[in-house]
Amino acid sequence: MPAFRRLVSFVVAVAVVMTLAIPALHAEPVVLKTTELGHGPTLVFVHSMGLTRSDWLTTARKLLSGFRVVLVDLPGHGDSPMPEPFTFATAGEALDAVLARQNPDSTIVIGHQMGGRVAMAALAAHPERARGLVLIDVPVGTPVPVPDQQKKMFLDYMDSQYEAVSKMMFSKLGRDTTQSQAIYAMYAQTQPATIKAYVREMFYSDGNRDAKALKLPVRMILSSRALPDSLTAGRELKKMGWEDTTATVTRIPDSALWIMKDQPDTLAARIREFAASAFATPRR
């Protein structure tokens, strides 16, 4: 019997050692698809949920005289796969692999809506990757806390009635009815699972945590759809969940979701101005 017990102890010990020696299995890192154009300091553009990297081209072409432009497909969009599980943190890790290939001393990141959330996650973890961040119409939460039960009810309803919910959310995002119809048609081409994953993450993540962790200059730009004449910038930032509602906001008139197509000259000019200021500002 003592010999048997020693044998059992030995087998258990070997099993423990073997378990500790086996490296943890991780999913293959997601590689985001990019298009790279031009030469000079780098501007990395990250589009919003439902769009693709090609939506930036109208504005990007305005910046090719003097900049190198990198257009990125978000996870689950265009030619980029989704990480599993999807969170803004895992999406940020995928974007960080793109940023790591750039010169950190001459890189500006531009993030639009959910793309801004991903950019914030990436730069909160690795602020040394860039000299500045432009955020366009980026929501970080809700103006008041929403109980988890209500969040679950909405997400369950979205699962069962996706078309109805997507029309409610995405059918009035343009400057006019015609543009809104075109935008909704574009959203309809995005996989429902992708849209649901981004909306779910938006409900349960804390964008203000990433915002507070940023250690680089930030410029906030709002479209005129996000900031109508009837609202103040502080009130609109509160509606978008920002805790700091005192930030300076640049408003671009006559623009909506497709701000990069609505006002490419104005948006490009604002990005140029910010890049010049950010490059002239010593790192924190």
Side-chain angles (χ1 to χ4, degrees):
M1 184 65 70
F4 177 76
R5 288 176 179 168
R6 286 196 298 271
L7 177 61
V8 171
S9 299
F10 173 75
V11 171
V12 170
V14 169
V16 170
V17 171
M18 290 179 65
T19 300
L20 294 174
I22 296 173
L25 297 177
H26 297 282
E28 287 296 317
V30 167
V31 177
L32 301 184
K33 185 68 175 179
T34 63
T35 296
E36 304 183 12
L37 305 166
H39 303 279
T42 300
L43 303 174
V44 179
F45 287 87
V46 192
H47 64 81
S48 181
M49 177 180 68
L51 279 65
T52 69
R53 68 188 190 278
S54 64
D55 286 294
W56 286 113
L57 282 171
T58 308
T59 292
R61 291 191 180 105
K62 307 290 183 180
L63 293 158
L64 289 178
S65 58
F67 289 97
R68 174 173 169 268
V69 170
V70 178
L71 312 178
V72 183
D73 268 343
L74 274 178
H77 295 74
D79 299 312
S80 293
M82 282 284 276
E84 185 59 44
F86 173 81
T87 64
F88 285 134
T90 58
E93 290 172 3
L95 177 60
D96 181 65
V98 175
L99 300 180
R101 300 197 298 267
Q102 318 307 322
N103 180 350
D105 291 325
S106 59
T107 294
I108 301 293
V109 181
I110 301 95
H112 182 210
Q113 291 196 351
M114 295 299 185
R117 288 295 307 274
V118 173
M120 289 170 62
L123 291 173
H126 297 282
E128 73 280 2
R129 300 289 197 214
R131 294 296 302 275
L133 172 63
V134 177
L135 297 175
I136 304 172
D137 287 359
V138 177
V140 295
T142 56
V144 295
V146 178
D148 285 347
Q149 184 179 7
Q150 291 185 19
K151 294 177 183 178
K152 184 178 184 304
M153 288 174 60
F154 177 85
L155 294 172
D156 288 345
Y157 183 67
M158 190 175 189
D159 280 335
S160 63
Q161 302 290 333
Y162 177 75
E163 184 175 355
V165 174
S166 65
K167 283 184 178 179
M168 178 182 67
M169 295 177 66
F170 309 127
S171 64
K172 297 180 180 180
L173 298 180
R175 292 187 300 177
D176 52 39
T177 301
T178 300
Q179 192 183 76
S180 291
Q181 290 173 346
I183 289 171
Y184 178 71
M186 172 195 66
Y187 268 92
Q189 296 175 25
T190 307
Q191 289 293 325
T194 296
I195 299 294
K196 292 175 186 177
Y198 277 81
V199 172
R200 185 176 294 106
E201 180 64 4
M202 180 66 193
F203 272 177
Y204 288 105
S205 64
D206 180 9
N208 283 294
R209 180 186 60 190
D210 286 340
K212 293 171 183 175
L214 294 173
K215 294 179 173 62
L216 70 172
V218 177
R219 173 68 53 84
M220 302 189 75
I221 294 177
L222 295 182
S223 66
S224 57
R225 185 187 183 283
L227 182 56
D229 291 333
S230 59
L231 292 181
T232 63
R235 183 179 173 185
E236 181 56 27
L237 289 176
K238 184 177 181 180
K239 283 178 58 181
M240 298 169 75
W242 286 89
E243 292 178 6
D244 178 9
T245 58
T246 65
T248 301
V249 171
T250 299
R251 180 180 184 269
I252 296 188
D254 195 24
S255 61
L257 179 74
W258 273 341
I259 186 172
M260 69 291 291
K261 301 180 183 182
D262 295 336
Q263 299 292 344
D265 292 289
T266 303
L267 181 57
R270 300 292 87 78
I271 291 170
R272 281 186 185 276
E273 292 168 3
F274 174 72
S277 173
F279 291 146
T281 302
R283 283 189 179 274
R284 298 181 188 177

